[in-house]
Amino acid sequence: MRFIIEVLLSGLAIFLAALILPDSAASVDGFGWAILAGLIIAFVNATIGTVLRFFTFPLNILTLGLISFIITVLMVQLTSYLMGSRFDVANFWWAAVFAIVVAVIQMLLDGIFGAKPRD
């Protein structure tokens, strides 16, 4: 049940971020597509992102996590490419802004709905 709530909140964060940013920067066709974008971002982050983080681990330590953020931005761009016009982020810089806005919104939603500790 918690997984479904997290997916819905992630979709809401993506949907709100697309509403906050200009249409030329990021767009999503609806809440359902935002949920799908959240699932795809989570999947590519868990697969491709994990492999990239493994190989860039020493560089990630030297840059204090900046490489990890860049990998996340690249995963947002990959999701945009895979989803076509249903979820679109204009370029790398807008994907970076989008990732930051989504992170802030998810933090706020987590504070509002409260994250239960997992047993």
Side-chain angles (χ1 to χ4, degrees):
M1 183 65 173
R2 184 69 190 163
F3 174 74
I4 294 171
I5 293 171
E6 288 179 12
V7 167
L8 291 174
L9 290 177
S10 175
L12 180 61
I14 290 171
F15 185 73
L16 291 174
L19 286 177
I20 291 170
L21 295 176
D23 285 339
S24 61
S27 64
V28 66
D29 279 354
F31 184 65
W33 291 107
I35 291 173
L36 182 60
L39 286 171
I40 293 173
I41 289 171
F43 178 75
V44 296
N45 241 340
T47 56
I48 299 169
T50 301
V51 171
L52 289 173
R53 283 180 184 87
F54 176 77
F55 286 116
T56 61
F57 181 70
L59 188 57
N60 201 12
I61 291 173
L62 289 174
T63 62
L64 302 175
L66 180 63
I67 297 299
S68 186
F69 175 70
I70 290 171
I71 290 170
T72 299
V73 171
L74 292 173
M75 297 304 106
V76 169
Q77 282 192 294
L78 178 61
T79 301
S80 174
Y81 173 77
L82 292 174
M83 290 189 66
S85 64
R86 301 291 185 191
F87 170 72
D88 187 41
V89 180
N91 55 40
F92 178 84
W93 300 110
W94 280 117
V97 172
F98 182 82
I100 292 169
V101 171
V102 167
V104 169
I105 292 172
Q106 282 182 323
M107 193 172 53
L108 292 172
L109 290 174
D110 192 39
I112 292 170
F113 293 102
K116 287 185 177 179
R118 294 188 177 142
D119 297 329

